[in-house]
Amino acid sequence: MGFWQGYRLRLRRRRLLWRSFRSRRALTALADRTSALDPDSILLFSTLRNERNRLPWFLDYYRRLGVRHFLMVDNGSTDGTADYLVTQPDVSVWHTDASYRAARFGMDWIGWLQIRYGHGRWCLVVDADEFLVYPFCDTRPLAALTEWLDTGGQRSFPAMLLDMYPKGPLEMQPCRPGQNPFEVAGWFDPGNYTAVRNERFGNLWIQGGPRARVFFSDAPERAPALNKIPLVKWNRRYAYVASTHMLLPRGLNLVYDEWGGERSSGCLLHAKFLNDFPARAAEESRRREHYQDGAEYRAYADRTASATDLSCRWSERYQNWRQLEILGLMSTGGWT
Amino acid sequence: MTATLGIVMLCHTALDRAAQLARHWADAGCPVVIHVDRRVATKDMNALRLAVADHSAIGFGKRFVCDWGTWSLVAATQSAAEQLLRDHPGVRHVCLVSGMCLPLRPVAELIAYLEAHPRTDFIESVTTADVGWTVGGLNIERFTLRFPFSWRKRRRLFDRYVALQRRLGLRRRIPDGVEPHLGSQWWCLTRETLSAILQAPDRARIDRYFRRVWIPDESYFQSLARRYSTGLESRSLTLSKFDPQGRPFVFYDDHLELLGRSDCYLARKVWPRAERLFATYLAPPPWPGQRLSPHPGRVDRQFSRAVERRLRGRSGLYMQSRFPRPDRENGKTAAPYSVFHGFTDLFEDFEGWLSRSTAARVHGHLFAPDRVAFAGGERFFHGALSDSVDLRDYNPRAFLTSLIWNARGDRQVFQFSPRDSQACNGFIGQDTNAHVWAITGTWAIPLMNQSGGFGAIRAEAARLQRIETRHLAILRSAQVKAQVRIWSLGEFLENPVEVLQAILDETAPRRPRGLGEVPAMRPLDGLAQFLQDLRNQGMQPTLVGDLPDAPAKGSARRHRSVAG
């Protein structure tokens, strides 16, 4: 990478930080419990909208992994999401009615909170429908992973987005509020992913899975990116570039081994394709507040009822992280 | 009662665990001297003192600021060991542990074991020529170069200074009486050996030398024990494993059963929050820990597997944390597979014959322009691969590697022709797992029966020949790694049965010899005439070869001589 390109990336990063800094005014604290943070706390950041039904299980899931504090931005929910969050003892909530899209899909707000509270701590940035699975997550808390990464001098940890879906039509299988979504959407594509290196940012660009297979089989280049780096030992000078797909400085994106070995990685189980997805798709394609104007929601809405079944004969039922490891979707790397 | 075993414990973090461990040793009668890094805050230090205050057998050594891989660790050990030997004359063996070393067996058992070996020093001590585990490739140079810069903090300076010394040929003299040995930092020495080391008349000189050796905590006692020991057993009583970067593996709760299989007395390093491990192994007697028959091989295997995974990875896997550069893949694909080039044009139902004769998964033309022809005409295949041409052509290489990876354990076979997408030809040619069987020129067979204007057919023939020629250039290049066998149609027709037999032998090696069934060949009448027509139209078919007993024999021979 030449000096000039490096300098441009640096400018870009500073612009992103400046955007985050400016967006602080859009946030109003509803409950600020950040004074309880200690330096070793693992923090979780999330922007959400109308996720009241998913939240109880979401919070429990990450509490069990050892997340100590949740910093949430509520983007104009109308279903009582904010009221629910305010009652939780380990959650700090900010409210905003500003445009999700204008705030880089919420990343400006998260960026500001990370600048303020994330510095020097391990930060997990996920959506309310993303559930982190990492090696040994059934027996070791998140702190075991972050300490191991710390001793190796590794600052970021990748977790590919793994789209989960039910067997059969989406609408047919309701998910109750507070229910484990993967009891319903328990299936995934085990091996139809593609990766290319993004020379500019140094990250891998991964696509595939059920969305490419069903919604984008005639335009695969438009299929959504699945590569994510959600867990980072944060520094106030870091910035996410596009969602959590990649970061600056670009060294944080080098989470893969290039010499034949494997580094450790996890998966983000994506509980997006549940019975409420058709309704969401209709709403979001109208709101146009999402990436590419919600192209994937429209792709879904356009297909109407004919493609509501995402499963196929080779879909696999999720069991545990070891299964994903054996399938090669994630890796223990050198951790054992 | 004071036991004959004394403990020197080095610690700098997780002091609550250190206190717990010290009390565990002291409860069993072992005197303990704790060295705490001087950088530890006074508040934490006081808490530790308080936690062990009721034990007279627990003392604190002089505090040093300790950095990884520096002399300070040896100095701290020396001083604490001197104190232990001085204050507890009943001690016969001294064991060096850390605040994260967990005893895997009851302390009484360790004491009994050491009393049964009163003159034996347990210290891993290997000559520099024989160690394979050093990080950074420094063995004997640890002893002959100078290391003023920190490896952890000033890596570049460290490396450059080493390179400079190598270039200038600068060397330090190793003092008399020191035979360089390396080994695990955690040892158990007899009072005699340890005293001899600490009270050596030339200790000042030796210490001065070791101050500038790299990682002296892995070489000081290891080298000097060789000098004084009367019965040295070169192994550590502490189970300690290192990853490729030289950091110790950490033991967690889920290692409980594995640790039970170890034949070591101690394990390092244990995660301070591994509640179950501490609860199990530090439980007061009678010891409830599981009695498992020792199986050190299994312990070693688990950790060497992790090293292997980190360094070499799984062949043929491309994913978010393994994306090797070209030629660094350790195998471009996960398993052997076969490509049959041009066979389906010559034989009717070649796939059917092959799948009946072998156990392999026989696909059609996976790279066909209209549809991915999975075996059995399925819409999806292993891993939920789709038959969509757009998805395949978006990243053909990922399609191929995923297919082989997903179906590993199951021999994959597919058909190929110049009509298919040629995007993977270079990759397949470079892949040692690929077995390519090619008959060239068979694309002429379907063309000859095609209706339509001859001009279009001739143009198509020229196009296919061009594509096939390019493909052959790849398969015949000197760099090719695939197993490639190529016949022209003419050569193949001379002895087709032999080739078919070879195919079966290789694709299904365990089946009995002999062809049960031979695939039906398509009629070739008129092929020679078709080729002649092409020639008459000004195209030179170079890849069909010399057709046997063709009516226009003379012209075919002439063509061959032209083709050279």
Side-chain angles (χ1 to χ4, degrees):
Chain A
M1 188 177 62
F3 172 78
W4 176 235
Q5 205 193 342
Y7 188 69
R8 283 181 44 166
L9 288 178
R10 180 188 170 87
L11 285 183
R12 170 120 180 222
R13 178 169 59 83
R14 305 195 70 150
R15 204 165 62 234
L16 292 172
L17 290 172
W18 174 242
R19 284 184 66 119
S20 288
F21 179 70
R22 280 204 324 182
S23 77
R24 75 196 185 281
R25 293 185 195 284
L27 301 175
T28 324
L30 299 180
D32 187 346
R33 302 185 173 99
T34 49
S35 56
L37 299 182
D38 70 69
D40 298 331
S41 296
I42 296 173
L43 310 182
L44 184 147
F45 296 82
S46 187
T47 303
L48 26 80
R49 175 186 167 80
N50 292 343
E51 299 285 6
R52 171 69 183 84
N53 287 347
R54 292 175 196 266
L55 273 176
W57 204 78
F58 174 86
L59 294 175
D60 274 355
Y61 182 87
Y62 282 108
R63 280 176 189 141
R64 265 204 310 276
L65 292 187
V67 168
R68 299 295 291 282
H69 201 83
F70 297 81
L71 296 97
M72 316 286 251
V73 176
D74 172 44
N75 184 203
S77 297
T78 52
D79 66 345
T81 295
D83 302 334
Y84 174 76
L85 287 174
V86 165
T87 61
Q88 303 297 311
D90 53 354
V91 179
S92 296
V93 197
W94 286 262
H95 174 264
T96 180
D97 280 319
S99 162
Y100 180 66
R101 186 190 155 92
R104 284 197 306 127
F105 313 104
M107 292 318 290
D108 283 345
W109 305 324
I110 297 295
W112 167 244
L113 294 180
Q114 285 194 287
I115 290 171
R116 270 205 75 178
Y117 305 108
H119 184 72
R121 298 190 172 101
W122 281 95
C123 294
L124 185 61
V125 180
V126 291
D127 288 340
D129 55 4
E130 294 172 347
F131 297 88
L132 178 68
V133 170
Y134 54 87
F136 308 101
C137 60
D138 48 0
T139 49
R140 303 179 195 171
L142 209 43
L145 174 67
T146 55
E147 279 176 33
W148 169 255
L149 295 173
D150 266 333
T151 56
Q154 204 178 322
R155 300 173 294 170
S156 51
F157 181 79
M160 185 180 96
L161 204 56
L162 191 65
D163 289 327
M164 307 290 290
Y165 49 82
K167 195 107 180 159
L170 297 183
E171 298 87 340
M172 300 293 288
Q173 296 166 61
C175 181
R176 294 186 313 277
Q179 187 189 3
N180 174 356
F182 305 116
E183 284 172 10
V184 179
W187 300 76
F188 63 94
D189 281 14
N192 57 0
Y193 301 91
T194 65
V196 290
R197 194 181 285 110
N198 175 344
E199 295 301 336
R200 184 139 181 248
F201 290 97
N203 63 308
L204 292 184
W205 186 27
I206 301 176
Q207 292 169 294
R211 280 187 278 178
R213 176 164 57 82
V214 177
F215 300 149
F216 294 96
S217 63
D218 45 3
E221 67 285 350
R222 292 179 57 215
L226 303 177
N227 49 294
K228 289 219 164 191
I229 304 177
L231 183 62
V232 178
K233 173 91 173 254
W234 202 255
N235 183 297
R236 62 169 80 91
R237 294 172 173 278
Y238 296 169
Y240 277 114
V241 177
S243 175
T244 50
H245 297 309
M246 53 205 179
L247 295 120
L248 283 174
R250 72 208 287 275
L252 295 167
N253 297 325
L254 297 176
V255 289
Y256 52 95
D257 191 291
E258 295 186 279
W259 308 103
E262 290 176 32
R263 298 177 79 167
S264 6
S265 54
C267 279
L268 283 176
L269 304 187
H270 198 197
K272 181 176 193 159
F273 301 100
L274 289 161
N275 60 325
D276 61 348
F277 180 72
R280 259 171 203 269
E283 195 205 328
E284 297 300 343
S285 62
R286 205 170 42 245
R287 274 182 74 222
R288 300 200 153 203
E289 278 281 301
H290 280 265
Y291 186 60
Q292 293 181 345
D293 281 345
E296 53 174 314
Y297 286 113
R298 265 186 298 139
Y300 173 77
D302 292 348
R303 297 190 66 114
T304 62
S306 64
T308 48
D309 186 358
L310 290 176
S311 65
C312 76
R313 191 187 147 199
W314 297 98
S315 298
E316 197 137 338
R317 183 160 195 124
Y318 176 72
Q319 291 157 8
N320 52 30
W321 67 267
R322 229 173 246 285
Q323 170 199 25
L324 301 183
E325 218 269 335
I326 290 166
L327 288 169
L329 293 169
M330 57 185 268
S331 177
T332 51
W335 204 30
T336 191
Chain B
M1 176 210 82
T2 320
T4 53
L5 170 65
I7 303 292
V8 171
M9 184 186 290
L10 307 180
C11 48
H12 61 109
T13 54
L15 296 188
D16 49 335
R17 288 298 182 198
Q20 196 184 354
L21 285 161
R23 297 182 64 92
H24 179 76
W25 291 112
D27 285 342
C30 302
V32 182
V33 174
I34 306 178
H35 172 268
V36 183
D37 191 322
R38 206 160 81 203
R39 271 181 298 215
V40 167
T42 317
K43 187 181 72 153
D44 299 337
M45 186 64 199
N46 288 341
L48 174 63
R49 279 185 200 279
L50 200 67
V52 298
D54 54 331
H55 260 295
S56 58
I58 300 179
F60 288 90
K62 184 180 166 211
R63 292 172 68 187
F64 294 78
V65 173
C66 291
D67 279 311
W68 179 87
T70 61
W71 171 255
S72 51
L73 285 165
V74 179
T77 310
Q78 287 176 329
S79 142
E82 277 169 340
Q83 183 177 335
L84 184 74
L85 293 177
R86 189 184 65 228
D87 295 351
H88 302 277
V91 164
R92 311 291 323 147
H93 267 100
V94 174
C95 200
L96 178 65
V97 301
S98 81
M100 293 182 188
C101 285
L102 189 64
L104 297 182
R105 297 199 223 172
V107 179
E109 228 172 89
L110 174 58
I111 294 171
Y113 181 78
L114 292 173
E115 278 174 355
H117 302 82
R119 308 199 67 81
T120 311
D121 298 295
F122 296 93
I123 179 166
E124 190 187 26
S125 164
V126 187
T127 58
T128 51
D130 301 321
V131 292
W133 39 259
T134 47
V135 171
L138 294 163
N139 292 334
I140 186 68
E141 285 176 325
R142 286 181 178 212
F143 296 92
T144 58
L145 301 184
R146 288 173 178 81
F147 302 94
F149 303 109
S150 161
W151 187 71
R152 288 231 163 143
K153 291 179 196 143
R154 320 287 303 268
R155 179 80 57 93
R156 189 176 297 187
L157 215 51
F158 179 97
D159 287 342
R160 286 198 180 159
Y161 195 58
V162 166
L164 181 74
Q165 293 177 81
R166 280 176 184 163
R167 230 177 67 211
L168 298 181
L170 294 179
R171 305 199 63 152
R172 302 179 69 195
R173 206 178 52 79
I174 299 169
D176 298 336
V178 175
E179 195 62 44
H181 280 75
L182 298 171
S184 165
Q185 187 188 347
W186 314 105
W187 42 251
C188 185
L189 295 176
T190 58
R191 172 179 276 270
E192 291 73 28
T193 307
L194 192 54
S195 311
I197 293 172
L198 295 174
Q199 291 157 16
D202 57 351
R203 181 175 145 188
R205 187 173 61 95
I206 302 273
D207 284 5
R208 206 160 48 239
Y209 166 76
F210 270 100
R211 254 171 221 279
R212 296 278 172 270
V213 164
W214 192 41
I215 319 186
D217 46 322
E218 284 181 1
S219 57
Y220 180 80
F221 290 100
Q222 290 70 9
S223 302
L224 295 179
R226 287 278 171 190
R227 190 178 181 191
Y228 297 109
S229 176
T230 51
L232 188 146
E233 205 166 309
S234 177
R235 71 183 169 100
S236 176
L237 299 178
T238 306
L239 173 70
S240 178
K241 298 276 176 193
F242 290 87
D243 82 345
Q245 291 162 47
R247 63 181 151 163
F249 278 116
V250 180
F251 300 114
Y252 301 94
D253 277 345
D254 46 284
H255 289 123
L256 182 65
E257 205 245 329
L258 190 76
L259 289 179
R261 298 280 183 192
S262 157
D263 59 351
C264 293
Y265 283 90
L266 298 135
R268 176 183 154 87
K269 99 195 213 187
V270 177
W271 194 45
R273 284 170 57 190
E275 305 292 342
R276 218 167 116 221
L277 288 186
F278 279 96
T280 307
Y281 286 110
L282 296 189
W287 200 62
Q290 227 177 334
R291 270 287 153 187
L292 298 168
S293 56
H295 197 327
R298 233 182 77 187
V299 184
D300 292 342
R301 238 188 343 268
Q302 170 152 350
F303 290 96
S304 56
R305 249 204 320 264
V307 171
E308 171 90 5
R309 176 62 62 89
R310 179 69 190 85
L311 292 181
R312 284 190 60 80
R314 290 171 277 182
S315 300
L317 176 63
Y318 300 80
M319 46 90 80
Q320 53 173 337
S321 54
R322 178 181 204 267
F323 200 72
R325 295 182 180 195
D327 297 325
R328 292 295 186 148
E329 297 98 343
N330 305 325
K332 288 183 189 288
T333 49
Y337 58 96
S338 311
V339 184
F340 289 95
H341 176 113
F343 282 69
T344 50
D345 289 336
L346 179 60
F347 292 105
E348 318 232 17
D349 191 26
F350 178 74
E351 296 119 288
W353 169 77
L354 195 57
S355 65
R356 281 191 297 277
S357 317
T358 66
R361 188 71 66 104
V362 183
H363 301 282
H365 289 260
L366 283 183
F367 290 93
D370 54 337
R371 179 168 175 256
V372 179
F374 289 127
E378 298 265 357
R379 280 205 58 210
F380 300 106
F381 189 61
H382 268 289
L385 284 171
S386 157
D387 68 348
S388 151
V389 170
D390 289 317
L391 283 175
R392 178 199 66 197
D393 290 347
Y394 183 51
N395 193 335
R397 191 179 296 185
F399 170 82
L400 178 64
T401 54
S402 299
L403 179 103
I404 306 292
W405 168 262
N406 293 336
R408 58 201 191 279
D410 209 8
R411 177 71 175 241
Q412 302 296 306
V413 170
F414 65 92
Q415 315 303 322
F416 200 70
S417 86
R419 290 182 300 274
D420 297 343
S421 159
Q422 307 287 310
C424 282
N425 290 354
F427 180 79
I428 291 173
Q430 292 286 309
D431 183 6
T432 48
N433 280 323
H435 296 252
V436 181
W437 305 76
I439 310 178
T440 65
T442 57
W443 43 264
I445 299 168
L447 272 188
M448 106 186 143
N449 299 320
Q450 198 169 308
S451 55
F454 195 72
I457 292 176
R458 183 211 169 289
E460 175 69 358
R463 184 181 78 91
L464 296 178
Q465 173 157 293
R466 236 178 3 252
I467 292 172
E468 190 166 80
T469 307
R470 267 205 300 272
H471 189 189
L472 288 177
I474 291 172
L475 293 180
R476 286 185 172 137
S477 81
Q479 287 84 39
V480 80
K481 303 243 172 39
Q483 283 193 44
V484 180
R485 272 139 300 193
I486 304 172
W487 298 267
S488 71
L489 177 57
E491 287 163 352
F492 179 81
L493 290 176
E494 279 170 21
N495 202 346
V497 174
E498 198 172 290
V499 176
L500 293 175
Q501 180 66 58
I503 288 171
L504 291 190
D505 287 349
E506 194 223 61
T507 318
R510 276 186 291 279
R511 76 183 278 292
R513 259 189 89 81
L515 291 170
E517 175 200 354
V518 177
M521 216 180 273
R522 293 181 203 273
L524 298 177
D525 320 324
L527 182 58
Q529 187 54 51
F530 175 68
L531 297 175
Q532 187 56 46
D533 291 346
L534 287 177
R535 273 184 212 105
N536 295 344
Q537 292 286 322
M539 178 193 157
Q540 188 64 271
T542 52
L543 299 170
V544 179
D546 207 358
L547 290 178
D549 56 57
K553 211 165 184 175
S555 68
R557 190 151 291 149
R558 195 172 65 241
H559 137 71
R560 193 179 166 82
S561 63
V562 170

